[in-house]
Amino acid sequence: MLDELYSAKILNLAAHLPRAGRLAAPDASAERIAKLCGSRVVVDVVVEDGRVMDLAQDVQCCALGQAAASVLGAQAVGATVAELEAARDQLRAMLKSDGPAPTGRFSDLAVLEPVKAYPARHASTLLPFEAAVAAARQAIERTSCAGAA
């Protein structure tokens, strides 16, 4: 079962992390930490009209969190905040509730389906999407507040 958990596809995603680093001038940033293992992700975003225009991520996770971050980094630019939320929710449901694999822009997250058999790994696998959604929501709130002023 461990061979499936750390498959060549997952390890390849983990080894090729798009959009690594930090943005010089993000609209918002969010950090998420998995208490059980100490994995940490910081995501910076630029959001315009409810769509991610730029994203960078500082990822200090196991291979599973890195694989999820790889899918995020490859697909987030151009995604709506609703698409990010749907991907996070679908990934969570796949891992925790035996739901179907994510669809659409983030369908590559299906490769992480074996993680559902390892509840201790769920938190680190979800971190990149949880941080991205939090950052994107903060960016929208700041824009809304600035527009109302």
Side-chain angles (χ1 to χ4, degrees):
M1 192 100 171
L2 279 178
D3 288 343
E4 192 175 294
L5 184 62
Y6 293 104
S7 69
K9 287 181 180 180
I10 288 174
L11 294 176
N12 187 48
L13 283 170
H16 299 94
L17 187 63
R19 301 192 164 278
R22 302 291 306 268
L23 295 179
D27 290 338
S29 301
E31 177 182 46
R32 293 294 181 266
I33 298 171
K35 294 176 185 171
L36 183 63
C37 66
S39 289
R40 177 183 163 274
V41 175
V42 178
V43 174
D44 299 329
V45 293
V46 173
V47 176
E48 290 179 19
D49 298 322
R51 208 171 273 285
V52 176
M53 303 309 289
D54 201 2
L55 176 139
Q57 51 189 346
D58 180 12
V59 179
Q60 297 172 11
C61 290
C62 65
L64 303 172
Q66 289 176 358
S70 181
V71 174
L72 175 69
Q75 300 299 327
V77 172
T80 65
V81 176
E83 286 176 302
L84 285 177
E85 290 172 331
R88 177 206 55 202
D89 295 346
Q90 290 172 349
L91 179 59
R92 182 182 293 124
M94 179 182 79
L95 295 177
K96 296 182 176 289
S97 306
D98 204 27
T103 59
R105 177 187 291 265
F106 297 102
S107 63
D108 287 344
L109 289 169
V111 74
L112 293 165
E113 193 167 13
V115 178
K116 69 183 171 186
Y118 298 89
R121 303 283 192 213
H122 293 179
S124 62
T125 304
L126 287 162
L127 283 181
F129 280 86
E130 289 177 346
V133 167
R137 281 278 153 221
Q138 285 177 23
I140 287 173
E141 288 172 17
R142 287 182 182 157
T143 303
S144 297
C145 291

